[in-house]
Amino acid sequence: MELVCPAGTPAALRAAVEAGAHAIYCGFADETNARNFPGLNFSREELAEGVAFAHARGAKVLVAINTFPRAGAEPLWHRALADAETAGADAVILADLGLLAHTAEHHPNLRRHLSVQAAAANPDAINLYAQAFGVRRVVLPRVLSVQEIAAINREIDVETEVFVFGGLCVMAEGRCSLSSYATGRSPNMNGVCSPASHVAYAEEGPELAARLGGFTIHRTPKGAPAPYPTLCKGCFTSAEQTGHIFEDPVSLDATQLIPALARAGVSALKIEGRQRSRAYVAQVVRSFRAAVEAQAAGQPLPESALARLTEGQAATTGAYAKTWR
């Protein structure tokens, strides 16, 4: 299976390639990609240099142009597509229907992957994208069990890519709308989730309150680890339960599920983390490259040594082994 690894900077791209990534995904330094944060992403020149570096070492580069264009601003996304092709990108990762149609018409030789932001989670949806827009691979949303992924693969002819490590963001549903409401910046359109400019901490009695856009997301005792105030991982009260109703502040680690994902017909394994350092990227990529090679050789998978790199130093298999509160 192909190991698809994140790069938020040119240095992270080089680190991922040298650590054994089969493919690297990255984006331009603007709102065309869903990780549009200061200090991250690539200029046009940096992307071309990164593609040349990766290709010289046998790796691919996939460019995420996976936000939804604002009305009247479509040329920004169209330029991103043209520039990705000029730079020699091996594929673009898209979510918007109009952008997919534009790419199929104006850049027919540019391989098209469907972003997780499109939330295509059943064979009918995936086959529609493949037939209408020539999509060759779909990144499945993080809401499916291994059994559901296997059932989907039996009914489609395109490749499937799934997340195996990092954040558990679902991206295309109501929680992104909550973040947009709280901050005025849309993760799905501006590429900004819970921007740091809208985060504030305040000591209130024995607790530390973490706020996003004026809304209190967490309260933790003084001296206890304070999670970043992301709405989907906030503390909520529902009926008589108070806690992390939507998602726990932990990371996905599906290392031990790699054999099951292979049997389910998955083509590519994706690591989340374009906001992470190059040291983080290198360590995670090395670990998963060893696991992928062990699986391909029919050998036991090595134990994951990535616990200290997970959020809250805790990990979950998420929906792959689906249980609901």
Side-chain angles (χ1 to χ4, degrees):
M1 291 184 286
E2 184 174 88
L3 185 59
V4 182
C5 306
T9 63
L13 183 149
R14 293 190 294 271
V17 171
E18 291 169 348
H22 298 122
I24 298 90
Y25 67 100
C26 55
F28 290 119
D30 56 37
E31 59 188 294
T32 62
N33 88 84
R35 287 293 181 270
N36 180 25
F37 291 91
L40 285 185
N41 302 310
F42 289 65
S43 68
R44 270 51 178 176
E45 181 180 358
E46 288 170 338
L47 180 66
E49 292 172 353
V51 169
F53 180 89
H55 286 178
R57 291 156 181 81
K60 302 174 185 175
V61 175
L62 320 176
V63 179
I65 308 174
N66 59 339
T67 49
F68 295 84
R70 291 178 289 106
E74 298 91 340
L76 176 64
W77 279 261
H78 295 170
R79 285 196 300 273
L81 283 165
D83 292 343
E85 185 169 42
T86 299
D90 296 280
V92 287
I93 308 170
L94 309 172
D96 182 75
L97 289 168
L99 207 56
L100 282 159
H102 176 89
T103 309
E105 180 179 355
H106 297 281
H107 306 279
N109 296 322
L110 187 55
R111 181 179 168 99
R112 296 173 286 286
H113 292 184
L114 188 66
S115 169
V116 67
Q117 288 242 67
N122 62 72
D124 287 344
I126 294 167
N127 286 331
L128 174 64
Y129 282 106
Q131 293 161 10
F133 307 114
V135 165
R136 302 280 298 280
R137 178 184 294 181
V138 57
V139 183
L140 294 175
R142 283 160 278 198
V143 296
L144 298 168
S145 69
V146 175
Q147 292 76 19
E148 288 168 334
I149 292 170
I152 288 171
N153 278 328
R154 287 194 291 269
E155 297 186 43
I156 65 174
D157 293 323
V158 301
E159 301 168 359
T160 50
E161 179 175 312
V162 302
F163 284 90
V164 289
F165 192 84
L168 276 169
C169 174
V170 181
M171 298 187 79
E173 43 75 62
R175 293 166 237 180
C176 285
S177 296
L178 287 173
S179 179
S180 180
Y181 176 81
T183 68
R185 303 294 303 279
S186 167
N188 305 113
M189 296 182 72
N190 306 113
V192 182
C193 170
S194 304
S197 57
H198 291 68
V199 172
Y201 296 93
E203 291 187 357
E204 297 181 355
E207 296 178 320
L208 180 68
R211 295 193 177 93
L212 179 67
F215 296 92
T216 301
I217 308 301
H218 293 284
R219 291 184 184 274
T220 54
K222 285 184 181 179
Y228 190 83
T230 304
L231 268 162
C232 59
K233 295 181 179 180
C235 249
F236 295 85
T237 297
S238 176
E240 298 179 356
Q241 179 183 356
T242 297
H244 300 287
I245 303 298
F246 295 134
E247 293 178 14
D248 296 318
V250 300
S251 293
L252 174 68
D253 186 351
T255 304
Q256 297 305 315
L257 292 177
I258 288 175
L261 292 169
R263 291 192 296 272
V266 169
S267 299
L269 305 175
K270 188 166 196 169
I271 296 168
E272 187 271 343
R274 282 193 283 154
Q275 294 164 258
R276 305 286 189 170
S277 70
R278 60 182 177 181
Y280 171 98
V281 168
Q283 186 168 346
V284 175
V285 172
R286 279 195 297 266
S287 178
F288 272 92
R289 181 62 187 259
V292 167
E293 290 185 347
Q295 186 277 326
Q299 299 172 352
L301 267 62
E303 288 294 323
S304 176
L306 301 175
R308 66 185 183 86
L309 297 180
T310 58
E311 186 174 353
Q313 297 194 353
T316 177
T317 54
Y320 291 131
K322 190 179 290 180
T323 58
W324 301 106
R325 294 185 179 91

